[in-house]
């Protein structure tokens, strides 16, 4: 700053006061522009966003999530999936949590979500707990991100440093959630790669994040065609799944089966071993190891859990960076289900 001022003084002595005034105005505009640019930059997500405004936010979220997962192991997978389905539709903005209103139809009844996504009551409980600690401070979008971490930790998985500072959307989009941005369980490998690339995630990120299917369960409607029609499936595994998923559509549609047949309630790398043994429950899972470009990565994760954990953690951070609302955009909802 001092060097710039001295240059202005020297220039004004040579060219006169009029030119100096012009330079000063230009300098003021430049300084103003830099100020606003720095403001935009500082509005991005940070690891310590709530360090002063809500230092106990992780304790508050974690206590509720751990209790919910202890009560029902499946809930850990459900909360993790909420974060994923939120981020893939118009960014990580908490829009998936919004109920329908007179002005918009939300995402809850879109094809990838209806009769499928769950855990909304737990998020309500988390929000209530957080509001009791620091009212009006923490967004529902950030609560989803922290709940995903706490769910994985509760089931024995890796830790990562969650970036925070997201704000909540004021609306949701049924059509966006229905547009195919969330890959269906029938996806081809190329569709999986393309859908993840569309939101800035690599093929490696996709394979690592698919490892979230080491926990959770799927409905019969999601895997019926695979267990009755596919040939790239272990015969004994297919027979075992058929016992709880009748062939006729409409019969047993909501019956559940674990996505990971070996350790369904532990966050580990067994999922990848299942794929190598052709015991992937969903078509989209098995296509990660089916003679294609991702086979070697599946085999790597199967042999090296540390590699999987490191890549999963890094991919979760990158997924959390998808188009967040920050700064003055959006709002901090009082109730995660409705705009303020």
């Amino acid at each position: 700053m001092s060097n710039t001022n001295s240059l202005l003084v020297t220039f004004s002595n040579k060219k006169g006061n009029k030119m100096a005034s012009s330079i000063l105005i230009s300098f003021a505009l430049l300084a103003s522009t830099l100020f606003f640019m720095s403001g935009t930059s500082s509005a991005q997500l940070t690891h310590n966003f709530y360090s002063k405004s809500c230092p106990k936010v992780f304790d508050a979220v974690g206590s509720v999530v751990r209790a919910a997962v202890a009560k029902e192991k499946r809930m850990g997978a459900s909360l993790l999936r909420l974060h994923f389905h939120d981020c893939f539709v118009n960014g990580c903005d908490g829009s998936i949590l919004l109920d329908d209103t007179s002005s918009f139809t939300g995402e809850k009844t879109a094809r990838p979500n209806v009769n499928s996504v769950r855990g909304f009551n737990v998020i309500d409980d988390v929000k209530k707990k957080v509001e009791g600690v620091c009212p009006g401070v923490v967004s529902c979008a950030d609560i989803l991100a922290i709940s995903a971490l706490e769910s994985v930790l509760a089931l024995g998985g890796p830790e990562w440093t969650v970036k925070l500072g997201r704000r909540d959307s004021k609306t949701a989009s049924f059509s966006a959630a229905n547009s195919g941005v969330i890959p269906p369980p029938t996806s081809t490998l190329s569709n999986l790669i393309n859908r993840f690339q569309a939101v800035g995630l690599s093929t490696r990120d996709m394979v690592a994040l698919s490892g979230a299917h080491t926990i959770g369960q799927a409905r019969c409607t999601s895997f019926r065609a695979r267990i009755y029609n596919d040939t790239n499936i272990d015969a004994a595994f297919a027979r075992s799944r058929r016992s709880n998923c009748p062939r006729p559509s409409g019969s047993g549609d909501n019956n559940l089966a674990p996505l990971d047949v070996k350790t369904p309630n532990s966050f580990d790398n067994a999922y990848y071993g299942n794929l190598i043994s052709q015991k992937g429950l969903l078509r989209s899972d098995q296509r990660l190891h089916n003679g294609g470009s991702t086979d070697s990565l599946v085999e790597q994760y199967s042999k090296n859990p540390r590699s999987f954990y490191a890549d999963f953690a890094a991919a979760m951070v990158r997924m959390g960076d998808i188009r967040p609302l920050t700064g003055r955009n959006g709002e901090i909802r009082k109730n995660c289900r409705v705009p303020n």
Side-chain angles (χ1 to χ4, degrees):
M1 183 71 74
S2 60
N3 289 339
T4 306
N5 285 337
S6 65
L7 285 173
L8 283 170
V9 171
T10 301
F11 196 82
S12 111
N13 288 338
K14 289 182 178 180
K15 300 293 183 179
N17 292 334
K18 185 175 180 180
M19 184 64 75
S21 298
S22 174
I23 298 289
L24 284 168
I25 291 171
S26 297
F27 178 79
L29 289 172
L30 175 61
S32 176
T33 301
L34 290 173
F35 173 79
F36 285 112
M37 286 176 65
S38 66
T40 301
S41 176
S42 67
Q44 298 309 302
L45 307 183
T46 61
H47 299 141
N48 60 351
F49 189 83
Y50 297 114
S51 60
K52 293 182 179 180
S53 59
C54 193
K56 295 184 178 180
V57 62
F58 280 89
D59 292 337
V61 176
S63 63
V64 177
V65 170
R66 285 191 296 272
V69 175
K71 184 177 180 180
E72 182 196 10
K73 298 294 185 184
R74 183 188 176 201
M75 186 54 67
S78 299
L79 296 176
L80 177 58
R81 189 162 178 251
L82 272 179
H83 183 42
F84 166 67
H85 280 226
D86 181 44
C87 290
F88 267 60
V89 181
N90 293 329
C92 309
D93 59 1
S95 58
I96 195 171
L97 302 174
L98 289 171
D99 291 335
D100 296 348
T101 70
S102 58
S103 59
F104 66 82
T105 301
E107 299 164 21
K108 292 181 177 180
T109 55
R111 280 190 304 273
N113 299 330
V114 67
N115 298 321
S116 180
V117 291
R118 57 196 296 274
F120 298 108
N121 290 338
V122 175
I123 296 299
D124 291 340
D125 293 341
V126 172
K127 179 65 171 175
K128 183 178 180 181
K129 181 82 170 184
V130 171
E131 287 294 300
V133 175
C134 38
V137 173
V138 181
S139 69
C140 298
D142 276 347
I143 283 175
L144 282 178
I146 299 173
S147 295
L149 167 67
E150 295 295 341
S151 294
V152 171
L153 291 176
L155 294 172
E159 186 171 13
W160 61 92
T161 304
V162 180
K163 292 163 69 175
L164 301 167
R166 301 169 191 81
R167 289 168 66 84
D168 298 321
S169 66
K170 299 178 183 180
T171 187
S173 175
F174 174 86
S175 59
N178 249 353
S179 67
V181 292
I182 299 173
T186 55
S187 291
T188 62
L189 180 59
S190 61
N191 186 55
L192 289 168
I193 292 171
N194 292 338
R195 288 298 90 212
F196 277 72
Q197 285 182 345
V199 292
L201 297 173
S202 68
T203 299
R204 191 178 193 91
D205 292 331
M206 182 272 290
V207 178
L209 290 172
S210 296
H213 284 178
T214 184
I215 54 175
Q217 301 183 60
R219 297 163 63 231
C220 171
T221 53
S222 299
F223 59 86
R224 176 183 281 124
R226 169 156 169 73
I227 62 175
Y228 285 102
N229 301 328
D230 290 2
T231 57
N232 60 342
I233 187 169
D234 178 83
F237 174 70
R239 284 195 299 271
S240 69
R241 294 284 73 90
R242 290 171 189 165
S243 66
N244 194 42
C245 182
R247 188 166 200 157
S249 179
S251 178
D253 284 0
N254 294 321
N255 292 351
L256 299 172
L259 289 161
D260 177 353
V261 68
K262 289 185 179 179
T263 55
N265 294 321
S266 297
F267 196 101
D268 55 27
N269 67 330
Y271 163 83
Y272 298 102
N274 296 337
L275 301 186
I276 294 170
S277 301
Q278 294 192 321
K279 295 178 181 178
L281 184 64
L282 307 179
R283 279 179 172 169
S284 55
D285 286 335
Q286 192 58 57
R287 281 169 174 154
L288 297 181
H289 193 273
N290 194 43
S293 60
T294 55
D295 282 17
S296 60
L297 196 51
V298 169
E299 291 161 14
Q300 175 186 324
Y301 290 156
S302 175
K303 296 173 184 176
N304 190 338
R306 288 188 178 183
S307 176
F308 163 52
Y309 283 174
D311 284 357
F312 179 84
M316 285 298 295
V317 173
R318 281 190 285 272
M319 187 181 77
D321 282 341
I322 299 174
R323 297 172 57 189
L325 297 173
T326 59
R328 295 183 178 180
N329 296 315
E331 64 184 9
I332 305 298
R333 282 186 222 138
K334 298 175 183 176
N335 179 340
C336 290
R337 292 176 179 262
V338 296
N340 291 344

